[in-house]
Amino acid sequence: MTDIDPAPHPFAAPGCPAHPDAVPLAGLEYQQSPSELYRGLRGEHGAVAPVLLDGAIPAWLVLGYPEVSYVTSHDELFARDSRRWNQWDRIPPDWPLMPYVGHQPSVLFTEGEEHRRRADVITQALSGVDQFELARDCRLLADRLIASFAGSGRAELMSAYAHALPMRAAVRVCGMPHGAAETTQLVEDLRISLDAAEGDDPVAAYTRVGERIHALVRHKRERPGPDVTSRMLTHPAGLTDEETVQDLISVIAAAQQPTANWIGNTLRLLLTDERFALNVSGGRLSVGEALNEVLWLDTPTQNFIGRWAVNDTQLGGRQIRAGDCLVLGLAAANTDPQLWPEAHVGAENSAHLSFSNGEHRCPYPAPLLADVIARTAVETLLERLPDLVLAVEPEALTWRPSIWMRGLTALPAVFTPVVA
Ligand code: HEM
């Protein structure tokens, strides 16, 4: 499985006649309007398109809803261990996507029985989180964060709120004894590890995240408590400290980053779309609809890397070679016009692929916990600051330079100052 296939990929070479049109999955145009790019790719290539990742590394972007469902539910054909990739000989150790694509001994890259063992520990540990307690804690955390900027009449909501709240909630449920400054640094390191922005060092940021989690695991071995970390350490599966560290990084990164962008994208929708404008304040139904609409049309984890073909196979009419990388185009699949010609985004319809699908999907009960955090965050903000509006024109909002995440770089807002 670790063998490297030295043969050049059919669309790796520049100017290759077979696929001269492989499109870079990066760049300003892509960040600002990925749906345009997906539409174009679908029109030109169908459900599976040749793309280039950072450094012109070839991969397939799976854009079709049936195709993403098929790939994620056939582990025997499309597996999760990235060491299968036939491109590793072209990838430098400081490759910006390395933190979450380079193989780690974590749940993310395990397969079969070993995956079930690790995923079971996470499911059990997360099931111990009381959802009512979590909602109450999130409300308190939200109130505290809002109080820190309410008197000024303005706030940059991504950093001051959308990122801060899920991180504090995750730190709390995992039993991390960290202060506010360390928690803020953890948020920043997770952002850098996913964005691959000019001047950032994602690999170094990911290493710093790992060091913090190591310290947490050492602490909880000595002083267990009623938290996710302690439940993972005492689970009968007997995870080693290293396995626990790796899986906790997955849990914390997954809890913070997509949930923060779910909150941010929902606030943007509520503040910019007139369908929601009339009854935003206190309009609980609208908040629920906005949260669900975002999962369909502006999903936080827009792409997920990925799966690797176990053998030569076919997908969407494409010849896929053993070891090829498939990027799960979750955002593209959610808007697949073959399946959803129109009006599929109803409050009752939750058949989107935003939490992925199959063996490696976002594990139960993580989506429920994320919903509690995001819903409480949005509702509390709108209740406390009912006349909140954007401080800039909607077109001035910019998106993160991330292939993984669909999230705003900033969300500046103004409101009537609230004196405590
Ligand atoms: C409390 C919040 C959350 C926690 C604790 C959490 C936890 C996790 C974990 C541990 C995994 C790895 C599963 C595995 O490989 O077996 C995962 C995967 C994933 N999660 Fe979550 N998650 C959370 C929120 C979210 C949100 C809000 C989204 C997006 C809306 C999301 C989307 C995903 C996706 C797309 C995957 C990838 C699955 C794949 O490889 O197919 N998660 N999550």
Side-chain angles (χ1 to χ4, degrees):
M1 189 207 314
T2 49
D3 286 350
I4 289 163
D5 182 347
H9 193 277
F11 58 87
C16 163
H19 293 285
D21 41 3
V23 173
L25 214 50
L28 204 57
E29 208 177 303
Y30 169 64
Q31 284 156 32
Q32 296 312 308
S33 53
S35 53
E36 300 280 308
L37 180 80
Y38 302 145
R39 198 170 308 130
L41 284 173
R42 202 180 267 121
E44 199 171 331
H45 300 282
V48 180
V51 291
L52 299 174
L53 303 177
D54 246 282
I57 308 296
W60 299 103
L61 178 65
V62 188
L63 299 142
Y65 185 103
E67 287 76 13
V68 171
S69 304
Y70 182 81
V71 167
T72 49
S73 53
H74 286 83
D75 296 12
E76 73 290 1
L77 299 176
F78 303 102
R80 192 62 189 85
D81 190 329
S82 62
R83 288 174 296 184
R84 295 177 194 277
W85 205 356
N86 53 28
Q87 295 298 308
W88 280 121
D89 58 340
R90 304 184 56 214
I91 297 177
D94 62 349
W95 191 51
L97 299 177
M98 194 60 96
Y100 300 96
V101 180
H103 177 267
Q104 307 273 353
S106 90
V107 62
L108 294 177
F109 297 99
T110 53
E111 297 178 354
E113 205 41 60
E114 176 60 6
H115 177 258
R116 281 186 284 283
R117 169 178 168 260
R118 305 281 283 270
D120 186 50
V121 174
I122 293 175
T123 294
Q124 300 268 338
L126 292 177
S127 298
V129 178
D130 182 313
Q131 292 183 35
F132 295 102
E133 230 171 77
L134 178 65
R136 194 202 55 207
D137 287 351
C138 285
R139 214 171 170 79
L140 289 172
L141 291 167
D143 276 339
R144 216 172 289 160
L145 289 168
I146 294 165
S148 71
F149 55 72
S152 69
R154 58 174 53 243
E156 195 292 275
L157 291 173
M158 287 312 294
S159 59
Y161 196 70
H163 279 289
L165 200 145
M167 187 77 260
R168 279 165 176 70
V171 160
R172 191 170 282 213
V173 296
C174 291
M176 266 177 142
H178 284 353
E182 273 183 284
T183 307
T184 306
Q185 191 54 49
L186 192 52
V187 170
E188 183 58 3
D189 281 336
L190 286 171
R191 182 196 65 72
I192 296 171
S193 72
L194 281 158
D195 273 6
E198 200 70 31
D200 279 346
D201 185 343
V203 177
Y206 186 83
T207 306
R208 287 194 295 275
V209 172
E211 284 162 2
R212 285 199 162 82
I213 310 291
H214 258 289
L216 169 66
V217 167
R218 277 195 302 272
H219 174 72
K220 286 292 156 188
R221 273 274 183 233
E222 283 164 23
R223 309 178 68 163
D227 50 64
V228 169
T229 310
S230 304
R231 286 194 286 275
M232 288 175 74
L233 285 169
T234 53
H235 189 282
L239 260 51
T240 64
D241 281 8
E242 187 49 36
E243 287 173 333
T244 313
V245 168
Q246 290 296 332
D247 291 357
L248 262 176
I249 296 176
S250 307
V251 166
I252 290 176
Q256 197 269 330
Q257 282 288 318
T259 313
N261 292 314
W262 192 9
I263 295 168
N265 295 356
T266 303
L267 287 172
R268 184 190 77 96
L269 178 64
L270 288 165
L271 296 175
T272 57
D273 190 318
E274 58 187 25
R275 286 173 303 141
F276 295 94
L278 288 177
N279 56 354
V280 151
S281 54
R284 283 162 193 278
L285 190 62
S286 285
V287 169
E289 282 173 346
L291 284 162
N292 191 46
E293 181 161 323
V294 163
L295 292 182
W296 278 106
L297 301 181
D298 223 358
T299 195
T301 311
Q302 58 181 344
N303 296 303
F304 198 89
I305 314 171
R307 299 293 189 269
W308 285 267
V310 175
N311 300 307
D312 290 354
T313 186
Q314 293 232 336
L315 182 73
R318 293 283 178 179
Q319 191 61 46
I320 310 290
R321 293 192 330 163
D324 277 3
C325 171
L326 295 103
V327 178
L328 304 178
L330 303 176
N334 283 344
T335 53
D336 183 345
Q338 301 272 14
L339 219 74
W340 313 111
E342 55 185 327
H344 63 286
V345 185
E348 287 89 47
N349 188 352
S350 58
H352 53 72
L353 291 169
S354 294
F355 294 107
S356 191
N357 176 51
E359 180 72 23
H360 276 271
R361 82 187 300 277
C362 189
Y364 176 84
L368 299 178
L369 302 180
D371 184 81
V372 169
I373 300 169
R375 192 175 294 263
T376 311
V378 175
E379 285 180 356
T380 311
L381 186 73
L382 298 176
E383 279 166 27
R384 300 289 184 259
L385 307 173
D387 64 355
L388 184 84
V389 288
L390 270 188
V392 296
E393 291 300 320
E395 303 74 45
L397 296 172
T398 55
W399 297 91
R400 290 170 62 165
S402 173
I403 179 178
W404 308 89
M405 288 289 136
R406 170 80 171 157
L408 294 165
T409 53
L411 185 60
V414 287
F415 45 87
T416 306
V418 179
V419 184

